Amino acid sequence: MTLVVLGQGWILPSYAQLIRQQREALSEQKIPVVNLGIRFKHRLTGHTTPIRSLAFSPNGRTVISAGSTNEPFLKFWSIEDGHEIDTLRTQSSAILTLAVSPNGKTLISSGEDADIHFWVWPNPDSKVTSFEHYSHVLDLVVTPDSQLVVTGSLDGIRVWTLEPPRSLYQLEGFGTPAFALAMHPNGFLVASGDNQGIVRFWNLRDQTVVSQFSAHSQTISGLAITLDQKRLITASHDRTIKIWDLATGELLDTWTGHRGRIQAIALSPNGQVLASAGHDGVRLWNAQTGRLLRHFKEHSDLVNVVAFSPDGKYFASGGFDRVVNLWEISPAFYESLKLRRSF
C-alpha cells in the first residue's frame, strides 16, 4: 500500500479499504437512549417549501434557514423568542448550501442555479456574485482561517478567496461531482464524496488528489473530520454512518439505525456529538463511541439538514415539512458524555 505523507505528520493511504476491522454496529435496539439535558425550544414556521440548508450566526443568536426551488429566500430567526427577523432573496432557485465563515465576516450561499453569493455579514447590500459553476452546487466549506471557500458541485470542485470574493482555481471538473465536503482542521486538506460512494482527499496547496477509496455503496451525503484529526466520518444514502482511521485507512465502526436514506450530518463544535438527518427523523450519536443518544421524531416528513450553533448550545433541523425545529442543549448533557458507561 502506497502512503502519501503530508505536512504536520499526516499519513494517508492511497487506498484506504485495504485494512478493515469490523466492530459490532451500535443499534437503537441494543442501547438505551439518553434523555437528560436537551429540550425543545422553538418550532419555526413561515417557509412555503422544504428547508434545504441551515446555518447559525457567529454570535449564536440567529438561525438562518433556506428554502427550496419556488422559494429561494433566506429567513433569519431569533433564537431567543423564535420570531422571524428578516427575509432575504438569494438564489433564483433552491438554496442547497449555506455557511458563515469562521471569523463571522462572510455569509456564503449557493444551490440549484450554481451562482455563488457572498455577503459581508450582516449587510444584505454587500452581495458579490460569481458564476463559474455550471450545475447545482451541493455543498461548501470554509478554511479555518476564513481565507478560502471550497464549493462542491455536479460539475466539479472549485476554490475561492473570501477577501475579496473571487474564483481562484478548479480542483476538478465534470466527471468528479462532489455531493458532500469536509474541511480538515489543518486548512489545506479537503475531503469530498460523490454519488458512487467514493471519498477523495484533496491538497489545496498543490491542487492534487492525495488519496481516494470506496466508502459506501451509494451516494455520500455527509462528511466530517473529528477535532482530534484522527477520524473521518462518512454518511450515505445506504443508511449507514462509517468511522475511518485517517492514519491507516482502517474502517473502525459502522453505525446503523436509520431506516431510510441519511440526508445530512453535522458534528458539534466540541466534537462530542454527531447529528444525522434522514427519512425517519434526527438522531444524535456519541461521536466517540457511536452510542445513540437521542432519536427525534418531531418532523412529519423527511429531514434534509441539521446544524449546530457555534457554541454548541443549540442545534436545528429542517425538512420537507417546511419547518425548522430548534433544540437547546445544556452543559450537563455534554458532561454526561464524559462519564464511563457499560454497554
Side-chain angles (χ1 to χ4, degrees), residues 8-185:
Q8 302 182 6
W10 275 92
I11 301 177
L12 291 175
S14 60
Y15 193 69
Q17 277 193 309
L18 292 178
I19 303 175
R20 293 223 176 178
Q21 178 184 359
Q22 293 281 4
R23 290 198 284 126
E24 181 180 3
L26 301 175
S27 68
E28 182 179 6
Q29 290 73 29
K30 297 177 182 177
I31 301 170
V33 172
V34 175
N35 292 306
L36 176 68
I38 300 180
R39 72 179 184 92
F40 185 81
K41 188 169 180 65
H42 296 301
R43 180 178 174 87
L44 309 177
T45 61
H47 279 284
T48 59
T49 63
I51 312 300
R52 300 305 301 267
S53 53
L54 290 169
F56 282 84
S57 65
N59 61 15
R61 298 176 184 173
T62 305
V63 62
I64 310 165
S65 57
S68 192
T69 303
N70 296 320
E71 189 199 14
F73 294 91
L74 297 178
K75 287 185 179 293
F76 300 80
W77 310 85
S78 166
I79 290 177
E80 182 178 358
D81 58 24
H83 292 161
E84 184 179 333
I85 301 170
D86 201 1
T87 299
L88 177 65
R89 185 182 179 99
T90 55
Q91 316 299 132
S92 60
S93 190
I95 306 167
L96 302 179
T97 183
L98 179 68
V100 179
S101 61
N103 64 8
K105 294 182 179 180
T106 309
L107 172 66
I108 312 111
S109 72
S110 191
E112 286 182 349
D113 62 6
D115 301 343
I116 311 294
H117 297 300
F118 304 84
W119 286 269
V120 176
W121 177 270
N123 179 11
D125 297 323
S126 63
K127 184 171 74 172
V128 174
T129 303
S130 294
F131 306 99
E132 277 74 7
H133 278 295
Y134 299 99
S135 188
H136 293 32
V137 176
L138 303 175
D139 202 3
L140 65 87
V141 290
V142 186
T143 54
D145 61 5
S146 298
Q147 297 298 306
L148 300 176
V149 178
V150 182
T151 54
S153 168
L154 294 179
D155 66 9
I157 304 171
R158 289 183 176 270
V159 179
W160 316 71
T161 59
L162 266 182
E163 297 181 13
R166 64 180 179 87
S167 178
L168 192 59
Y169 56 82
Q170 183 169 336
L171 276 176
E172 193 58 74
F174 285 102
T176 309
F179 281 63
L181 298 171
M183 177 63 66
H184 192 284

Side-chain angles (χ1 to χ4, degrees), residues 6 12-13 16 182 184 189-192 199-203 208-213 225 232 244 246:
L6 298 179
L12 291 175
H184 192 284
L189 187 67
V190 175
S192 69
V199 171
R200 294 176 176 86
F201 292 94
W202 305 84
N203 188 333
T208 60
V209 176
V210 176
S211 176
Q212 69 179 53
F213 68 101
I225 296 174
L232 173 73
W244 306 86
L246 277 178

Side-chain angles (χ1 to χ4, degrees), residues 179-249:
F179 281 63
L181 298 171
M183 177 63 66
H184 192 284
N186 66 21
F188 66 86
L189 187 67
V190 175
S192 69
D194 69 12
N195 58 335
Q196 302 299 316
I198 304 296
V199 171
R200 294 176 176 86
F201 292 94
W202 305 84
N203 188 333
L204 298 182
R205 291 176 174 173
D206 57 18
Q207 305 173 36
T208 60
V209 176
V210 176
S211 176
Q212 69 179 53
F213 68 101
S214 178
H216 291 271
S217 61
Q218 297 182 31
T219 298
I220 292 176
S221 54
L223 295 168
I225 296 174
T226 57
L227 296 186
D228 61 11
Q229 306 181 17
K230 294 180 179 179
R231 293 170 296 147
L232 173 73
I233 303 174
T234 63
S236 170
H237 287 177
D238 67 9
R239 307 182 183 187
T240 66
I241 297 169
K242 295 185 178 182
I243 315 300
W244 306 86
D245 187 304
L246 277 178
T248 66

